[in-house]
Amino acid sequence: MTLTASPSTSSRTRLVVALPWGPRSPAAARRIAAGWLEAGDCARTADAVLIVSELVTNVVRHTRGPCLLTLSEHDGCLDIAVTDHSEEMPDLHGSGHGDQRGGFGLEIMRRLGDSVRVVPRIGGKTVRVALGTPVPARAAVRMPVGAPVRVPAHDGPRPP
């Protein structure tokens, strides 16, 4: 079994992908983000992919709905955004001390990113992380719109 996530929009400077809720979504998001960033010769691909993974994992852990992953490059800054359908706001000013069940994701995002912010909206929120990095735009589109991305069905244990 595989999970298929199709980019809703893809260009030289922006990628938008709708992801279903489920334990395979973080792996799909990592693969899609890595492909797009590597195609653009991003100097901080590993950091960006880790941030994407943490953001999508938080959606899977703390909500019960799909999310929208958006990566966009503008003037040497990569904006990583994940929009979900939960109006519950994360505590961005917490201690950052995790425990056995988690709690490290926001601290990782704060340390790697230049800024982390939550943009509330009716029916949900968007968590945005800005990552200063040169992401050169290419002449060709990185991933064709509508091209399916296949991810192995098993990416770890399922949440309780």
Side-chain angles (χ1 to χ4, degrees), residues 66-124:
C67 67
L68 188 68
L69 168 65
T70 305
L71 303 176
S72 54
E73 184 273 328
H74 184 68
D75 294 333
C77 185
L78 178 66
D79 180 56
I80 304 167
V82 173
T83 301
D84 65 47
H85 299 285
S86 171
E87 291 181 347
E88 186 174 330
M89 297 294 127
D91 180 9
L92 293 182
H93 306 291
S95 66
H97 298 291
D99 61 24
Q100 298 167 357
R101 297 171 306 202
F104 298 101
L106 283 171
E107 183 63 22
I108 290 169
M109 289 183 263
R110 281 196 294 250
R111 288 180 186 246
L112 291 177
D114 297 324
S115 68
V116 179
R117 61 191 171 106
V118 179
V119 180
R121 62 179 183 79
I122 295 173

Coordinates of all heavy atoms in Angstrom, one line a residue, residues 66-124:
P66 N -6.6 16.8 7.6 CA -5.5 17.0 6.6 C -4.8 18.3 6.8 O -5.2 19.1 7.6 CB -6.3 17.0 5.2 CG -7.6 17.5 5.6 CD -7.9 17.0 7.0
C67 N -3.7 18.5 6.1 CA -2.9 19.7 6.2 C -2.4 20.1 4.8 O -2.5 19.3 3.9 CB -1.8 19.6 7.2 SG -0.4 18.5 6.7
L68 N -2.0 21.3 4.7 CA -1.5 21.9 3.5 C 0.0 22.3 3.8 O 0.2 23.2 4.6 CB -2.3 23.1 3.0 CG -2.0 23.7 1.7 CD1 -2.4 22.7 0.6 CD2 -2.8 25.0 1.5
L69 N 0.9 21.8 3.1 CA 2.3 22.1 3.2 C 2.7 23.1 2.0 O 2.4 22.9 0.9 CB 3.2 20.9 3.0 CG 4.7 21.1 2.8 CD1 5.3 21.8 4.1 CD2 5.4 19.8 2.5
T70 N 3.3 24.2 2.4 CA 3.7 25.2 1.4 C 5.1 25.6 1.7 O 5.5 25.9 2.8 CB 2.8 26.5 1.5 OG1 1.4 26.2 1.4 CG2 3.2 27.5 0.5
L71 N 5.9 25.5 0.6 CA 7.3 25.9 0.7 C 7.4 27.0 -0.3 O 7.0 26.9 -1.5 CB 8.3 24.8 0.3 CG 8.2 23.5 1.1 CD1 9.2 22.5 0.5 CD2 8.6 23.8 2.5
S72 N 8.0 28.2 0.1 CA 8.2 29.3 -0.9 C 9.5 30.0 -0.6 O 9.9 30.2 0.5 CB 7.0 30.2 -0.9 OG 6.7 30.7 0.4
E73 N 10.1 30.4 -1.7 CA 11.4 31.0 -1.6 C 11.2 32.5 -2.1 O 10.6 32.7 -3.1 CB 12.5 30.3 -2.4 CG 13.8 30.9 -2.4 CD 14.1 32.0 -3.3 OE1 13.5 32.0 -4.4 OE2 14.9 32.9 -3.0
H74 N 11.8 33.4 -1.3 CA 11.7 34.8 -1.7 C 12.9 35.5 -1.1 O 13.1 35.5 0.1 CB 10.4 35.4 -1.2 CG 10.2 36.8 -1.7 ND1 10.1 37.2 -3.0 CD2 10.2 38.0 -1.0 CE1 9.9 38.5 -3.1 NE2 10.1 39.0 -1.9
D75 N 13.7 36.1 -1.9 CA 14.9 36.9 -1.5 C 15.8 36.2 -0.5 O 16.1 36.7 0.6 CB 14.4 38.3 -0.9 CG 13.7 39.2 -1.9 OD1 14.1 39.0 -3.1 OD2 12.9 40.0 -1.5
G76 N 16.2 35.0 -0.8 CA 17.1 34.3 0.1 C 16.5 33.7 1.4 O 17.2 33.4 2.3
C77 N 15.2 33.7 1.5 CA 14.5 33.1 2.6 C 13.6 32.0 2.2 O 12.8 32.3 1.3 CB 13.8 34.2 3.4 SG 13.1 33.6 5.0
L78 N 13.6 30.9 2.9 CA 12.7 29.8 2.6 C 11.6 29.9 3.7 O 11.9 29.9 4.9 CB 13.4 28.5 2.7 CG 12.5 27.3 2.5 CD1 11.9 27.2 1.0 CD2 13.3 26.0 2.8
D79 N 10.3 30.0 3.2 CA 9.2 30.0 4.1 C 8.6 28.7 4.1 O 8.2 28.2 3.0 CB 8.2 31.1 3.7 CG 7.0 31.1 4.7 OD1 7.2 31.3 5.9 OD2 5.8 31.0 4.2
I80 N 8.5 28.0 5.3 CA 8.0 26.7 5.4 C 6.7 26.9 6.2 O 6.7 27.3 7.3 CB 8.9 25.7 6.1 CG1 10.3 25.7 5.4 CG2 8.3 24.3 6.3 CD1 11.4 25.0 6.3
A81 N 5.5 26.5 5.6 CA 4.3 26.7 6.3 C 3.4 25.4 6.2 O 3.4 24.8 5.2 CB 3.5 27.9 5.6
V82 N 2.8 25.1 7.3 CA 1.8 24.0 7.3 C 0.5 24.6 7.9 O 0.5 25.1 9.0 CB 2.3 22.8 8.2 CG1 1.3 21.8 8.3 CG2 3.6 22.2 7.5
T83 N -0.6 24.4 7.2 CA -1.9 24.9 7.6 C -2.7 23.6 7.9 O -2.7 22.6 7.2 CB -2.6 25.6 6.4 OG1 -1.7 26.7 6.1 CG2 -3.9 26.1 6.8
D84 N -3.4 23.7 9.1 CA -4.3 22.6 9.5 C -5.6 23.2 9.9 O -5.9 24.4 9.8 CB -3.6 21.8 10.7 CG -3.5 22.6 11.9 OD1 -4.4 23.3 12.4 OD2 -2.4 22.5 12.5
H85 N -6.5 22.3 10.3 CA -7.9 22.7 10.6 C -8.2 22.7 12.1 O -9.4 22.6 12.5 CB -8.9 21.7 9.9 CG -8.7 21.8 8.4 ND1 -9.2 22.8 7.7 CD2 -8.1 21.0 7.5 CE1 -8.9 22.6 6.4 NE2 -8.2 21.5 6.3
S86 N -7.2 22.8 12.9 CA -7.4 22.9 14.4 C -7.2 24.3 14.8 O -6.2 25.0 14.5 CB -6.4 22.0 15.1 OG -6.4 22.2 16.5
E87 N -8.1 24.9 15.6 CA -7.9 26.2 16.1 C -7.1 26.2 17.4 O -6.8 27.3 18.0 CB -9.3 26.8 16.4 CG -10.0 27.1 15.0 CD -11.3 27.8 15.2 OE1 -11.9 27.8 16.3 OE2 -11.9 28.3 14.2
E88 N -6.7 25.1 17.9 CA -5.9 25.0 19.1 C -4.5 25.5 18.8 O -3.8 25.0 17.9 CB -5.8 23.6 19.6 CG -5.0 23.5 21.0 CD -5.1 22.1 21.5 OE1 -6.1 21.4 21.3 OE2 -4.2 21.7 22.2
M89 N -4.0 26.5 19.5 CA -2.7 27.1 19.3 C -1.6 26.4 20.0 O -1.7 26.1 21.2 CB -2.7 28.6 19.7 CG -3.7 29.4 18.9 SD -3.2 29.6 17.2 CE -4.8 29.0 16.4
P90 N -0.4 26.2 19.4 CA 0.7 25.6 20.1 C 1.3 26.7 21.0 O 1.2 27.9 20.8 CB 1.7 25.2 19.0 CG 1.3 26.1 17.9 CD -0.2 26.4 18.0
D91 N 2.0 26.2 22.1 CA 2.7 27.2 23.0 C 4.1 27.4 22.5 O 5.0 26.6 22.7 CB 2.7 26.6 24.4 CG 3.4 27.5 25.4 OD1 3.7 28.6 25.1 OD2 3.6 27.0 26.5
L92 N 4.2 28.5 21.7 CA 5.6 28.8 21.2 C 6.5 29.3 22.2 O 7.7 29.4 22.0 CB 5.4 29.9 20.1 CG 4.7 29.4 18.8 CD1 4.7 30.6 17.8 CD2 5.3 28.2 18.2
H93 N 6.0 29.7 23.4 CA 6.9 30.3 24.4 C 7.1 29.3 25.5 O 7.6 29.8 26.6 CB 6.3 31.6 24.9 CG 6.0 32.6 23.8 ND1 7.0 33.2 23.0 CD2 4.8 33.0 23.2 CE1 6.5 33.9 22.1 NE2 5.2 33.8 22.2
G94 N 6.8 28.1 25.4 CA 7.0 27.1 26.4 C 8.5 26.8 26.6 O 9.4 27.3 25.9
S95 N 8.8 26.0 27.6 CA 10.2 25.7 28.0 C 11.0 25.0 26.9 O 12.2 25.1 26.9 CB 10.2 24.9 29.3 OG 9.6 23.6 29.0
G96 N 10.3 24.3 26.0 CA 11.0 23.5 25.0 C 11.6 22.2 25.5 O 12.3 21.6 24.8
H97 N 11.3 21.9 26.8 CA 11.8 20.6 27.3 C 10.7 19.6 27.0 O 9.6 19.6 27.5 CB 12.0 20.8 28.8 CG 13.0 21.8 29.2 ND1 14.3 21.6 28.9 CD2 12.9 23.0 29.7 CE1 15.0 22.7 29.3 NE2 14.2 23.5 29.8
G98 N 11.1 18.6 26.3 CA 10.3 17.5 26.0 C 10.3 16.4 27.0 O 11.0 16.4 28.0
D99 N 9.5 15.4 26.8 CA 9.5 14.2 27.6 C 9.5 12.9 26.7 O 9.8 13.1 25.5 CB 8.4 14.1 28.6 CG 7.0 14.1 27.9 OD1 6.9 13.7 26.7 OD2 6.0 14.6 28.5
Q100 N 9.3 11.8 27.2 CA 9.3 10.6 26.4 C 8.3 10.6 25.3 O 8.6 9.9 24.3 CB 9.0 9.4 27.3 CG 10.0 9.2 28.4 CD 9.4 8.2 29.4 OE1 8.3 7.7 29.3 NE2 10.2 7.9 30.5
R101 N 7.3 11.3 25.4 CA 6.2 11.3 24.3 C 6.4 12.4 23.3 O 5.6 12.5 22.4 CB 4.9 11.5 25.0 CG 4.5 10.3 25.9 CD 3.3 10.6 26.6 NE 3.5 11.9 27.3 CZ 2.9 12.3 28.4 NH1 1.9 11.7 28.9 NH2 3.2 13.5 28.9
G102 N 7.4 13.3 23.5 CA 7.6 14.3 22.5 C 7.8 15.7 23.2 O 8.2 15.7 24.3
G103 N 7.5 16.7 22.4 CA 7.7 18.1 23.0 C 9.0 18.7 22.5 O 9.3 19.9 23.0
F104 N 9.7 18.1 21.6 CA 11.0 18.7 21.2 C 10.9 19.4 19.9 O 11.7 20.2 19.5 CB 12.1 17.6 21.0 CG 12.4 16.9 22.3 CD1 11.8 15.6 22.5 CD2 13.2 17.4 23.2 CE1 12.1 14.9 23.7 CE2 13.5 16.8 24.4 CZ 13.0 15.5 24.6
G105 N 9.8 19.2 19.1 CA 9.6 19.8 17.8 C 9.7 21.3 17.7 O 10.4 21.8 16.8
L106 N 9.0 22.0 18.6 CA 9.1 23.4 18.5 C 10.4 24.0 18.8 O 10.9 24.9 18.3 CB 8.0 24.0 19.4 CG 6.6 24.0 18.8 CD1 5.6 24.4 19.9 CD2 6.5 24.9 17.6
E107 N 11.1 23.3 19.8 CA 12.5 23.7 20.1 C 13.4 23.5 18.9 O 14.2 24.4 18.6 CB 13.0 22.9 21.3 CG 14.4 23.4 21.8 CD 14.4 24.8 22.3 OE1 13.4 25.4 22.6 OE2 15.5 25.4 22.2
I108 N 13.3 22.4 18.2 CA 14.1 22.2 17.0 C 13.8 23.3 16.0 O 14.7 23.8 15.4 CB 13.8 20.8 16.4 CG1 14.3 19.7 17.3 CG2 14.3 20.6 15.0 CD1 13.9 18.3 17.0
M109 N 12.5 23.6 15.8 CA 12.2 24.6 14.8 C 12.7 26.0 15.2 O 13.2 26.7 14.4 CB 10.7 24.7 14.6 CG 10.1 23.5 13.9 SD 8.4 23.6 13.6 CE 7.8 22.6 14.9
R110 N 12.7 26.3 16.5 CA 13.2 27.6 17.0 C 14.7 27.7 16.8 O 15.2 28.7 16.4 CB 12.9 27.8 18.4 CG 11.5 28.2 18.7 CD 11.3 28.8 20.1 NE 11.5 27.8 21.1 CZ 10.5 27.3 21.9 NH1 9.3 27.7 21.8 NH2 10.8 26.4 22.8
R111 N 15.4 26.6 17.0 CA 16.9 26.6 16.9 C 17.3 26.6 15.4 O 18.3 27.3 15.1 CB 17.5 25.4 17.6 CG 17.4 25.5 19.1 CD 18.0 24.3 19.8 NE 17.8 24.4 21.2 CZ 18.7 24.5 22.1 NH1 20.0 24.6 21.7 NH2 18.5 24.6 23.3
L112 N 16.6 26.0 14.5 CA 17.0 25.9 13.1 C 16.5 27.1 12.3 O 17.2 27.6 11.5 CB 16.5 24.6 12.5 CG 17.1 23.3 12.9 CD1 16.5 22.2 12.2 CD2 18.6 23.3 12.6
G113 N 15.3 27.6 12.6 CA 14.7 28.6 11.9 C 15.1 30.0 12.4 O 15.5 30.2 13.5
D114 N 14.9 31.0 11.5 CA 15.1 32.4 11.9 C 13.9 32.9 12.7 O 14.1 33.8 13.5 CB 15.4 33.2 10.7 CG 16.6 32.8 9.9 OD1 17.6 32.4 10.6 OD2 16.6 32.9 8.7
S115 N 12.7 32.4 12.4 CA 11.5 32.8 13.2 C 10.5 31.7 13.0 O 10.5 31.0 12.0 CB 11.0 34.1 12.6 OG 10.4 33.9 11.4
V116 N 9.7 31.5 14.1 CA 8.6 30.6 14.1 C 7.4 31.4 14.6 O 7.4 32.1 15.6 CB 8.8 29.4 15.1 CG1 7.6 28.5 15.1 CG2 10.1 28.7 14.8
R117 N 6.3 31.3 13.8 CA 5.1 32.1 14.2 C 3.9 31.3 13.8 O 3.9 30.4 12.9 CB 5.1 33.5 13.6 CG 5.1 33.5 12.1 CD 5.3 35.0 11.6 NE 5.5 35.0 10.2 CZ 4.6 35.4 9.3 NH1 3.5 35.9 9.7 NH2 4.9 35.3 8.0
V118 N 2.8 31.5 14.5 CA 1.5 30.9 14.3 C 0.6 32.0 13.8 O 0.5 33.1 14.4 CB 0.9 30.2 15.5 CG1 -0.4 29.6 15.3 CG2 1.9 29.2 16.1
V119 N -0.1 31.7 12.7 CA -1.1 32.6 12.1 C -2.4 32.0 12.3 O -2.8 31.1 11.5 CB -0.8 32.9 10.6 CG1 -1.8 33.9 10.1 CG2 0.7 33.4 10.5
P120 N -3.2 32.5 13.2 CA -4.6 31.9 13.4 C -5.5 32.3 12.3 O -5.3 33.4 11.7 CB -5.0 32.4 14.8 CG -4.2 33.6 15.0 CD -2.9 33.5 14.2
R121 N -6.5 31.5 12.0 CA -7.5 31.8 11.0 C -8.8 31.1 11.5 O -8.7 30.2 12.3 CB -7.1 31.4 9.6 CG -6.9 29.9 9.5 CD -6.5 29.6 8.0 NE -6.3 28.1 7.9 CZ -7.3 27.3 7.7 NH1 -8.6 27.7 7.7 NH2 -7.1 26.0 7.6
I122 N -9.9 31.5 11.0 CA -11.1 30.8 11.3 C -11.1 29.4 10.8 O -10.8 29.2 9.6 CB -12.3 31.6 10.7 CG1 -12.4 33.0 11.3 CG2 -13.6 30.8 10.9 CD1 -13.5 33.9 10.7
G123 N -11.3 28.4 11.6 CA -11.2 27.0 11.2 C -9.9 26.4 11.2 O -9.7 25.4 10.6
G124 N -8.9 27.1 11.8 CA -7.5 26.5 11.8 C -6.4 27.5 12.1 O -6.6 28.6 12.6

